[in-house]
Amino acid sequence: MRSLAGGGAPALLWRTVLVAALVCGVGLLPWLSRTDPALTVLRARSADRDPDPETLRAIRDGLGLDDGPLALLGRWLGGLLHGDAGTSWVSGSQVLPGVVQALGASLLLMAGALLVAAGTVAAVCARTLRLGARGRLGARRPGGTATAVLAALPEFLVAAVLASVIGVQLGWLPALGWYGPQWMMLPSLALGLPAGAVLGRMLDDLLPGAFGEPWAMAAAARGVPSRSVARQAVRRCVPGLLPNLALFVVGLTGGSVAVEQIFDIPGLGRLTLQAALAQDLPVLQTGTLALVLLAATAGLLARLAARLLIGPALRDGALQSLHRPRPPAARALPLLYGGLLAAVIGFGLSRDPLALDTLARLHAPSLEHPFGTDALGRDVLARISHGALTTLGTALAVSAAALVAGLLLGLLPRVSGPLVDTLSAVPPVLAGLLVTGAMGSGPWTPAFAVAVVAWCPLAAHTSSLLRQERATTHLTATRALGAGRWYLLRHELLPAVAPPVARHALLRLPGIALGLAALGFLGLGAQPPAPDWGLLLAENQPYAERAPWAVLFPAAALALLGALAVTAAGGVRLPRWPTRPAGPAGPPADPVVPAPRRQPDHPDALLTPVSASQTEER
């Protein structure tokens, strides 16, 4: 159990330091934001009450704010050791029962979302499983456009559409509240569909390597039923996804703030956001600590499950590599999607995104306004085009930084593992508040807030793949031939691990854009009148029923970005058109045999592959 936890006493000490730093940072939020905590608490209690000096002094004395943040943190920790998390600064109620109740609602919602995600994963991978179990993966054509569109849709937009169409207009399911199983169906769909699309794409990327292993070919030769082969292939690939599944569990529990707000769910994410905005430190610290404990538990269970599934093979070094080099698929879809997105952006750059026309409010698409207008009469196409320059540029910069950080820190699992478990427990909204409080509001503040946690899934993926790649038979043989540690890292481990992690980073590109959009949706990102895509969705959502084009076109731009990222993850190569066979000609020329290459005189020369021509000469 100690080895599963991550390395014994040093890892435990490192986790303790990280949790303490996070809790202390949360406790310093009112002072980092350079605002008066007493004034914020007064506005949260009663927005109509005048903030006179006597009232503010009474609040400071009652809460002990003049004692400083360290004294407040010490009193909270002292009470927590005795099972008392204090009382809320806003409502005056006990904190611990409220946090436990909110955590229960979030866990129930997370369980429903995971069921929806599991069904989505099965739908995404069904074709690969069917063809792979029958040994016909060569006939599989690259796809993934529908999955990309589904993964790129913002959760809050899916939630708003489901609530307004299915809940309000059709009346099939309740749209507001949290009173029973019927009330959790729509929010579970809103959270589970995008998460299942991302996990399904990751699993679909691993399955061809599993079906190409010797055991799968031997099973097919012996007539093993295709269902058994498909089931074992899934079991072979699941350990590589378990760390990211644990991160999804934590994200669905604490990061579903927008969905909880739309459906009026009393979950932990919403409670934490309200506490952060009101600077209710006891509630905020207790909620953050609950998320950290959940992240540590999910990470421990993921490592335990991976050890149970492939533990003996990891110990004996008997695995096969799932990431053998393969040429890019023959597809031109990324060029099509990229050209379409560039055309939309270029067509609207000549328009003014800030021009107001009160006589053209919420006009439908026309020749003058191809994408219609918003509630202030501004051209939606112009705002999408000008907002793309900041949204896409910021998302690309954050994705590149997250990829580099994820690869580098993933190579050090004992350092990055506890850090991933701790930072993954921080909802993006809370990270945005902490970064805004520490750095102040600015154009790069939301990007930095998203980048703080964006590298965690990539680092977890790198560590998981690296652990399995070190246990492969070819690496054991290469090491036995005298290869050094740096040679193995440069020529064996990184070439095997970097491509799937890079494809994962491309899959996360729309998610990073959505993270920036979610901060804008919650008022923590770009501010009006900036044409940021998240701000466009937030501004136009109240008019979705009257003017759906004001929401659908920004969402379509995000979906187009997702389709571009997912299809480009498999590489770009134009298909070759069939050519007519040449007519009769003279005798074929002798094949050109390359001259044998002299191997350098060092131990690594044993690892250089010998070509077939050299073998024939010898």
Side-chain angles (χ1 to χ4, degrees):
M1 185 65 71
R2 184 174 61 182
S3 63
L4 289 174
L12 182 60
L13 179 61
W14 176 228
R15 289 177 185 272
T16 305
V17 170
L18 291 175
V19 173
L22 178 60
V23 173
C24 291
V26 170
L28 291 174
L29 181 61
W31 288 267
L32 290 175
S33 59
R34 293 175 290 276
T35 59
D36 187 1
L39 179 59
T40 306
V41 172
L42 176 63
R43 290 175 177 174
R45 291 177 177 177
S46 177
D48 299 333
R49 191 170 181 180
D50 295 331
D52 56 89
E54 296 182 358
T55 304
L56 295 179
R57 172 58 59 183
I59 293 176
R60 291 193 188 95
D61 295 339
L63 300 179
L65 295 176
D66 293 336
D67 297 337
L70 294 180
L72 292 174
L73 181 62
R75 287 198 293 267
W76 177 75
L77 288 175
L80 195 63
L81 295 176
H82 298 87
D84 182 15
T87 58
S88 171
W89 288 1
V90 176
S91 64
S93 59
Q94 291 293 321
V95 171
L96 195 57
V99 171
V100 171
Q101 184 178 3
L103 179 61
S106 294
L107 290 177
L108 186 60
L109 177 60
M110 178 266 295
L114 286 181
L115 290 177
V116 175
T120 307
V121 170
V124 171
C125 302
R127 186 167 178 267
T128 302
L129 287 172
R130 185 177 66 254
L131 294 177
R134 298 175 181 177
R136 298 170 53 191
L137 273 180
R140 187 186 68 154
R141 292 184 178 181
T145 302
T147 307
V149 171
L150 186 60
L153 289 178
E155 295 173 351
F156 56 85
L157 180 61
V158 176
V161 172
L162 291 177
S164 60
V165 175
I166 297 180
V168 177
Q169 295 182 2
L170 299 178
W172 291 348
L173 292 171
L176 294 177
W178 189 254
Y179 306 104
Q182 292 182 349
W183 279 263
M184 65 179 293
M185 291 185 179
L186 292 182
S188 297
L189 287 172
L191 290 173
L193 289 176
V198 175
L199 287 174
R201 290 297 305 176
M202 294 176 63
L203 179 59
D204 196 67
D205 186 50
L206 292 174
L207 284 174
F211 282 119
E213 290 185 341
W215 68 265
M217 293 183 285
R222 290 179 61 88
V224 177
S226 58
R227 291 185 179 180
S228 299
V229 177
R231 184 169 59 250
Q232 293 302 322
V234 172
R235 181 185 177 185
R236 173 67 180 90
C237 299
V238 161
L241 300 179
L242 285 175
N244 279 276
L245 180 60
L247 297 183
F248 270 105
V249 167
V250 180
L252 292 175
T253 304
S256 55
V257 180
V259 175
E260 290 178 355
Q261 282 192 332
I262 291 174
F263 290 101
D264 194 21
I265 300 173
L268 187 59
R270 184 183 180 190
L271 179 68
T272 305
L273 173 63
Q274 293 175 350
L277 295 177
Q279 296 185 359
D280 192 351
L281 288 187
V283 177
L284 181 59
Q285 290 170 334
T286 308
T288 304
L289 185 59
L291 289 175
V292 170
L293 294 177
L294 176 64
T297 304
L300 180 61
L301 292 177
R303 288 187 288 271
L304 179 60
R307 185 66 59 91
L308 292 176
L309 289 174
I310 58 171
L314 286 175
R315 183 185 64 247
D316 299 336
L319 289 177
Q320 297 288 328
S321 177
L322 292 177
H323 303 285
R324 290 170 295 182
R326 59 181 184 267
R331 61 171 71 186
L333 285 178
L335 301 178
L336 175 63
Y337 296 141
L340 183 59
L341 185 60
V344 170
I345 295 174
F347 187 65
L349 287 178
S350 60
R351 301 169 177 264
D352 187 0
L354 304 179
L356 301 178
D357 187 1
T358 55
L359 299 179
R361 296 176 61 251
L362 300 177
H363 275 197
S366 60
L367 293 177
E368 184 180 1
H369 303 287
F371 286 2
T373 60
D374 62 4
L376 297 178
R378 296 172 296 190
D379 189 81
V380 175
L381 174 60
R383 295 184 64 76
I384 291 176
S385 300
H386 288 267
L389 301 179
T390 56
T391 303
L392 298 183
T394 305
L396 286 173
V398 173
S399 298
L403 175 59
V404 174
L407 281 173
L408 294 179
L409 291 175
L411 298 176
L412 304 171
R414 292 194 176 185
V415 176
S416 62
L419 192 58
V420 167
D421 291 343
T422 304
L423 289 181
S424 63
V426 181
V429 177
L430 181 57
L433 290 174
L434 291 174
V435 171
T436 303
M439 301 178 54
S441 59
W444 287 99
T445 300
F448 188 78
V450 174
V452 167
V453 296
W455 62 270
C456 294
L458 302 178
H461 196 192
T462 301
S463 299
S464 177
L465 297 181
L466 192 66
R467 188 181 305 112
Q468 296 190 40
E469 201 66 29
R470 283 173 175 169
T472 54
T473 53
H474 77 89
L475 196 72
T476 303
T478 306
R479 190 183 297 112
L481 291 174
R485 181 177 301 177
W486 288 106
Y487 181 91
L488 294 175
L489 180 63
R490 295 195 314 269
H491 297 276
E492 299 291 340
L493 294 176
L494 280 181
V497 171
V501 176
R503 291 193 294 269
H504 185 189
L506 280 175
L507 292 177
R508 293 277 178 176
L509 176 61
I512 291 186
L514 294 183
L516 298 171
L519 290 178
F521 175 78
L522 296 171
L524 300 176
Q527 299 300 318
D532 185 80
W533 286 3
L535 191 59
L536 291 183
L537 292 171
E539 290 176 341
N540 297 321
Q541 185 193 354
Y543 310 99
E545 296 184 7
R546 180 181 174 186
W549 53 84
V551 176
L552 291 180
F553 282 113
L558 277 173
L560 193 59
L561 173 63
L564 172 62
V566 171
T567 54
V572 181
R573 182 166 63 90
L574 292 177
R576 295 181 179 179
W577 297 101
T579 58
R580 292 183 177 181
D590 294 334
V592 179
V593 179
R597 186 177 55 185
R598 183 179 182 273
Q599 304 296 332
D601 298 329
H602 54 78
D604 292 348
L606 296 174
L607 307 175
T608 305
V610 182
S611 63
S613 60
Q614 296 174 7
T615 304
E616 293 176 359
E617 288 188 6
R618 294 178 184 176

